[in-house]
Amino acid sequence: MPIIDVAVPVPLRQTFSYTCEQKPEPGVRVSVPFGRRQLMGVVTASYDDPADETKSEVKLKAVTEVLDEQPLFDATLQTLTQWLSTYYHHPIGEVWATIMPSRLRKGGALSDSVPALMLTDAGQAEAATPTLRGKKQLECIAMLAQGPLAREEIKTRFSNVVLKALADKALTTDTSIRLTEKQDWASFSLQQTPPTASTEQGVAIAAINQQASHFVPFLLDGVTGSGKTEVYLQVIEPVLKQGKQVLILVPEIGLTPQTVGRFERRFGISVGVLHSQMTDLARLKVWQQARRGELGIIIGTRSAIFTPLKRPGMIIVDEEHDESFKQQDGLRYHARDLAVKRAHTENVPLILGSATPSLESLNNALNKRYTHLTLSQRAGGASHTQLKVLDSRDQPLHAGIAQGLISIMRSHLQQGNQVLVFLNRRGFAPAVLCHHCGQTVDCKSCERPFTYHKSQGRLQCHHCGASRRMPEQCSECHSHDLQTSGIGTEQLEQGLGQLFEDVAQVRIDSDAVKGKDKLITRLDEINARKYQLLVGTQILSKGHHFPHVTLVVVLDCDGALFSADFRAAEKLAQLITQLAGRAGRASKPGEMWLQTDNPGHPLLQDLINNGFAHFARQALQERQLGELPPYSSQAIFRAEGNEAGLVAHFLQQVRDCYRPSVHAAKGNFIGPLPCLIEKRQGRFRYMLVLQCQQRAALHSWLKHHLSEVESLPLTSKVRWSLDIDPVDFS
């Protein structure tokens, strides 16, 4: 009887062997007994005659059920899965679970149809002339009046009680609907005439088109507003005409709708969308359509990199520098790096686009590993935004804004332009303290001050999400004189409303745009000039086109100038440059003011006088002198537990496991030391950084000593993880 190796979703770095009456191919899902549970796993290998193998000496359990007739995953995705497990030193079963859509992970069948609900004749009559009193029942009937809907979709909106009531009244009945519909996208015709490319755009487009038949990584380094998306559109056109598919990664869900709209308007075809706010069924539908080649363009966030493609033709990573491409828990992969690996495996061109390239990508371009394409001029003759610093020392502040800036803002507003005020701190105030004894109201689980959200009348911890009512008195001295300290976007919005009473303003942060499509609606309203004053956090900094914004004001950028994270300067420079790109994108010139108490800081002066490109090259020289990435490779062991001493002791034992190998190869340790956020949700957090100039040596250490780490007695008393190529030390 054949024996198969199965990757099971458990935190063990191995596959497990089972007997099977048939011989399923690698990539097929099977249901197997594992201890007292039934788990769904993926076949990784099979053997015809195991008589000479050691595994035949052990009595193996039999596969319960083979779930697929054909492999769900092609050879490319199987290769990538194995690479992910090896490179990130992550259990292979959990890697397979990560790359699969939720429905398939739970053992659901890959079917053309799904259970659905439709109205009966009585239901249609009720929809035409409502008689029911139940509000939810009427809403459900109105929705079904448009046509049958998948049960899974309906259950996201209505409870089982509502659905049962309609069924009992014979107003609805069960049916099934096709999950996917075949589309003839390869015979598309352009719906819009492409604008004439600038000289730099033309050079970039020609360079990419000449190498479109095989793997070549391109770094499209273009200033904000230089027309990178137009380059994408024009190089995608010949790929689609060849009947090949294009996968595009974007960093944020908020960027997806506007990107999708632009591609659909140009090509007149449906674009597949994948992101975390979609239902499992909707994501599976796009996954199947891409796998069958029924979609020409797929646009998604980080996890879309796992989407199967029948005829891959190109991969694009927009805003490739963005940290959100790095997964911070579970399988800690970086979608940008995986895109490079996948494009190489698929033998298709890769485009990494950004106005502020990551130092890793820039270093690869400068060393000729990537083809470096630059767009130094803004599209349509728009001028570059002027960066200026305002020294806020000794100036009176109104709502956190210096008096000098208020005059500048008023000047732009009086000309009918829009002004964007950036403050990367949501809520009303970052702390509440007692005016009598100075005690702050802290989250006990994180030992950090609560943030006051005035609109909710509550305190919230931005580290663990804990929430509580605003106290009436101090817990230490019982004084009732509690005051807020610091400024958040809510307070800034309130203060600006007092300073500019006749100006319509809108706040864009994660509190203000909760809910489906709310961000899209607000962005449309901004471009329709419904609002003149925009207040927001990082949500406003990425990729949005605001043609009427002529002034960007950045408040409180000083904190990042003195961070313990060696990447803080790079992140701040990227943020400032991206924000500057929101101004002056049309015919009107734009300017940006940085309000700071450190106007002479070298980072700010370098950005203002020389631009991001010069800063990035200087930062690379500093990294090289400090033997920091990208001139070395890092891995972090993180651990957390209820006792700080226990966690630190565990990481010291980990360090002892690796000490001989690291010292022999002239690598080094940093730590154990507390994470930048030392305590979260009641657990103390420490880290141990392993660093080596040779990537191969680092991975060799990790591989050969990981089993020793897993066998340490303290592993059962702490929660630990391994992060390869970390980007965050908090």
Side-chain angles (χ1 to χ4, degrees), residues 132-357:
L132 294 175
R133 298 179 64 182
K135 182 180 177 182
K136 286 293 184 182
Q137 292 181 33
L138 287 172
E139 287 180 8
C140 187
I141 286 176
M143 184 179 292
L144 290 172
Q146 308 301 317
L149 288 173
R151 270 191 167 274
E152 188 170 318
E153 297 279 1
I154 295 174
K155 284 184 176 181
T156 63
R157 296 283 303 273
F158 303 100
S159 68
N160 288 329
V161 174
V162 172
L163 300 181
K164 186 177 185 302
L166 293 176
D168 291 344
K169 295 170 184 174
L171 299 176
T172 61
T173 185
D174 291 329
T175 184
S176 63
I177 58 174
R178 280 187 59 83
L179 187 61
T180 62
E181 296 179 6
K182 192 167 183 179
Q183 301 176 22
D184 185 20
W185 55 268
S187 59
F188 75 95
S189 59
L190 290 180
Q191 304 300 300
Q192 298 175 333
T193 302
T196 302
S198 67
T199 302
E200 290 180 325
Q201 286 176 324
V203 170
I205 292 166
I208 296 169
N209 286 340
Q210 288 173 5
Q211 307 284 345
S213 61
H214 56 279
F215 170 68
V216 178
F218 296 94
L219 176 63
L220 185 60
D221 182 357
V223 298
T224 52
S226 60
K228 292 185 290 297
T229 304
E230 184 57 38
V231 173
Y232 301 156
L233 287 163
Q234 295 201 28
V235 299
I236 283 173
E237 183 184 345
V239 176
L240 294 179
K241 285 182 176 177
Q242 296 172 31
K244 295 182 179 181
Q245 297 165 285
V246 178
L247 176 62
I248 303 171
L249 300 185
V250 294
E252 297 285 348
I253 294 171
L255 295 179
T256 310
Q258 67 180 46
T259 307
V260 170
R262 189 164 177 183
F263 279 76
E264 287 183 337
R265 288 192 297 272
R266 173 67 64 88
F267 298 114
I269 61 176
S270 295
V271 172
V273 179
L274 288 167
H275 56 70
S276 60
Q277 290 187 2
M278 297 170 63
T279 64
D280 291 343
L281 187 63
R283 298 183 75 179
L284 180 61
K285 177 180 177 180
V286 175
W287 191 90
Q288 281 191 240
Q289 288 178 307
R291 179 175 177 267
R292 293 174 176 173
E294 296 170 1
L295 288 171
I297 302 175
I298 299 93
I299 299 178
T301 49
R302 181 175 58 224
S303 61
I305 189 61
F306 302 123
T307 307
L309 302 174
K310 186 175 182 179
R311 293 197 65 199
M314 180 178 287
I315 298 175
I316 297 173
V317 183
D318 194 27
E319 307 291 353
E320 64 86 26
H321 67 278
D322 202 285
E323 263 192 48
S324 60
F325 283 124
K326 172 73 171 176
Q327 175 73 24
Q328 298 293 356
D329 55 21
L331 173 60
R332 291 168 167 80
Y333 67 93
H334 200 303
R336 179 199 64 216
D337 298 344
L338 183 54
V340 177
K341 179 66 178 177
R342 179 166 185 180
H344 181 264
T345 306
E346 302 271 21
N347 196 29
V348 298
L350 169 76
I351 304 175
L352 304 175
S354 177
T356 54

Side-chain angles (χ1 to χ4, degrees), residues 97 120 234 261 293 313 315 382 404 427 445 466 468 473 517 574 600 613 615 629 721:
T120 61
Q234 295 201 28
I315 298 175
S445 297
R468 59 166 291 184
Q473 61 184 23
D517 298 334
Q574 288 169 338
F615 158 80
S721 62

Side-chain angles (χ1 to χ4, degrees), residues 1-10 12 14-24 30-48 50 53 55-56 58-66:
M1 183 179 292
I3 287 181
I4 61 173
D5 289 342
V6 180
V8 181
V10 293
L12 298 171
Q14 64 179 88
T15 57
F16 297 87
S17 299
Y18 293 85
T19 60
C20 188
E21 293 184 357
Q22 50 185 294
K23 188 183 176 185
V30 292
S31 178
V32 296
F34 193 86
R36 297 181 179 179
R37 299 177 290 168
Q38 280 288 327
L39 297 179
M40 192 282 296
V42 178
V43 176
T44 59
S46 58
Y47 309 90
D48 281 319
E53 302 207 13
K55 58 185 72 178
S56 64
V58 182
K59 186 175 181 180
L60 301 177
K61 294 181 179 180
V63 168
T64 305
E65 183 183 2
V66 178

